[in-house]
């Protein structure tokens, strides 16, 4: 009788399951979302591992015969496109509400936020140095005071590399590479190793300016840090960040739940209103914190974004090798 009672009661206790997420996101952004997801799904244990996008993609590739992760969250679309074989096809239940420019036409690449590149400036130490765009970063007064990552390991830095090459090299790509030579020289041998090192380094007054992404910089500004965001006058590619389910994920159904959660109205509104992130749904207004897209030299045209995607796909490996050579020859 005791066995029957215990057994019948145990059937009413939901079984615990897991979800493992890899992400290059800042903790300020991802942690509130994970806590909210767990409150809505109390029977799912969630583990989040933070690292650079390049490192995470290499890890996923190494683990593909025995995946240790279920979801890659907030990695740049361009860095993932060349590795689509590592991810499952899944169309979120919220796909109809996503802006037409950012549909999951590939099958495995769900966009969930627009994550443009920005310059993050420390207003306490920048002094009278004018920062309006990339061209201002070659000012000799900034030598050794610029925070930048290795673009081969950081999606945010790779996006800056793409933006520089596209916006400053439209007429002649060599003009953009000449600029990168000067920028790298002004780094004074300081190439950082993680996205967080850039925005934290500027916020902590180790550097005067850094090349980072909007959400991370906006979080510091909203929290009262001596920070301002600069949207490059040369142009800002309004590239989305994606969320991707790992091929043969061990917790596939939980991964699908998480993708649906991240694209849901409530979550997108939370991102938009509280977490300084640009939502991607049609049925939400603009962020109360972020600069209106109409006030940015923003690249949003579908045809142009597709052109940039192809530009990256054809040249990514050569660009990274050339950048590495520039750094090594300093």
């Amino acid at each position: 009788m005791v066995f029957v009672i215990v057994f019948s009661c145990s059937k009413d206790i939901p079984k615990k399951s897991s979800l493992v997420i890899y992400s290059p996101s800042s903790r300020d952004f991802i942690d509130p979302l994970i806590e909210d997801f767990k409150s809505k799904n109390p029977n799912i244990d969630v583990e989040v591992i933070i690292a650079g996008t390049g490192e995470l993609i290499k890890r996923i590739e190494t683990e593909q015969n025995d995946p240790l992760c279920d979801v890659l969250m907030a990695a740049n679309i361009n860095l993932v496109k060349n590795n689509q074989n590592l991810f499952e096809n899944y169309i979120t239940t919220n796909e109809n509400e996503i802006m037409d420019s950012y549909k999951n036409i590939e099958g495995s690449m769900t966009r969930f936020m627009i994550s443009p590149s920005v310059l993050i400036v420390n207003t306490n130490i920048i002094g009278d140095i004018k920062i309006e765009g990339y061209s201002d970063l070659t000012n000799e007064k900034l030598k050794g005071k610029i925070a930048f990552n290795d673009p081969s390991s950081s999606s945010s830095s790779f996006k800056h590399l793409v933006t520089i090459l596209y916006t400053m090299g439209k007429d002649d790509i060599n003009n953009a590479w000449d600029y990168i030579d000067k920028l790298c020289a002004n780094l004074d041998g300081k190439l950082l190793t993680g996205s967080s090192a850039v925005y934290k380094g500027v916020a902590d007054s180790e550097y005067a300016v850094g090349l980072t992404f909007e959400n991370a910089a906006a979080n510091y500004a909203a929290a009262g840090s001596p920070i301002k965001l600069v949207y490059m006058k040369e142009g800002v590619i309004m590239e989305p960040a994606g969320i991707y389910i790992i091929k043969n994920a061990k917790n596939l159904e939980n991964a699908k739940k998480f993708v649906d959660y991240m694209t849901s109205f409530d979550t997108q509104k939370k991102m938009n209103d509280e977490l300084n992130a640009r939502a991607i749904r049609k049925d939400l207004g603009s962020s109360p914190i972020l600069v209106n897209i109409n006030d940015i030299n923003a690249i949003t045209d579908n045809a142009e974004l597709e052109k940039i995607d192809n530009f990256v796909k054809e040249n990514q490996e050569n660009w990274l090798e050339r950048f590495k050579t520039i750094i090594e020859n300093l």
Side-chain angles (χ1 to χ4, degrees), residues 78 81 239 304-313:
N78 280 327
K81 272 192 173 177
E239 186 75 17
E304 192 166 9
L305 289 173
E306 185 62 29
K307 179 182 176 182
I308 293 168
D309 282 348
N310 292 331
F311 183 51
V312 173
K313 192 179 294 184

Side-chain angles (χ1 to χ4, degrees), residues 30-248:
I30 197 170
D31 285 352
L33 295 170
I34 296 301
E35 290 306 310
D36 186 53
F37 176 76
K38 286 163 65 176
S39 73
K40 292 177 169 64
N41 299 273
N43 300 307
I44 300 178
D45 286 327
V46 183
E47 179 184 4
V48 179
I49 296 169
I50 303 288
T53 300
E55 177 186 338
L56 293 174
I57 289 176
K58 287 178 183 176
R59 189 181 297 192
I60 292 167
E61 190 171 21
T62 300
E63 298 167 354
Q64 60 185 308
N65 293 327
D66 183 24
L68 302 179
C69 166
D70 304 300
V71 170
L72 174 63
M73 173 186 172
N76 175 254
I77 289 286
N78 280 327
L79 282 182
V80 174
K81 272 192 173 177
N82 292 338
N83 297 277
Q84 287 185 61
N85 61 303
L86 300 176
F87 303 99
E88 293 278 358
N89 282 349
Y90 178 66
I91 304 297
T92 175
T93 55
N94 299 300
E95 186 72 11
N96 288 340
E97 302 303 327
I98 291 176
M99 296 177 193
D100 293 342
S101 303
Y102 303 112
K103 295 290 190 185
N104 179 8
I105 57 174
E106 301 85 0
S108 61
M109 305 178 72
T110 300
R111 284 78 167 164
F112 77 97
M113 65 182 285
I114 303 168
S115 183
S117 300
V118 300
L119 304 180
I120 179 172
V121 179
N122 186 300
T123 56
N124 282 349
I125 61 176
I126 196 64
D128 60 357
I129 301 173
K130 180 182 69 174
I131 304 291
E132 295 179 344
Y134 290 125
S135 58
D136 298 313
L137 301 184
T138 57
N139 187 327
E140 290 184 358
K141 293 180 181 178
L142 290 173
K143 189 164 187 175
K145 299 178 181 178
I146 302 170
F148 190 47
N149 282 326
D150 181 351
S152 68
S153 61
S154 163
S155 61
S156 58
S157 292
F158 181 72
K159 282 177 70 174
H160 273 289
L161 179 62
V162 171
T163 306
I164 290 167
L165 291 171
Y166 184 75
T167 62
M168 303 185 79
K170 269 187 175 180
D171 299 324
D172 183 351
I173 193 72
N174 290 318
N175 292 335
W177 282 110
D178 287 345
Y179 166 79
I180 290 170
D181 281 336
K182 295 173 184 175
L183 173 64
C184 288
N186 229 25
L187 296 177
D188 200 24
K190 298 176 183 177
L191 195 62
L192 307 183
T193 56
S195 297
S196 63
V198 172
Y199 49 80
K200 286 180 179 177
V202 176
D204 293 342
S205 299
E206 294 177 44
Y207 299 93
V209 59
L211 294 85
T212 188
F213 57 101
E214 182 183 54
N215 172 249
N219 281 338
Y220 275 93
S225 293
I227 288 301
K228 73 173 181 178
L229 281 68
V230 173
Y231 297 84
M232 295 78 66
K233 62 185 179 183
E234 293 86 357
V236 179
I237 300 170
M238 302 305 283
E239 186 75 17
I243 183 166
Y244 322 89
I245 297 177
I246 308 304
K247 179 79 77 176
N248 300 318

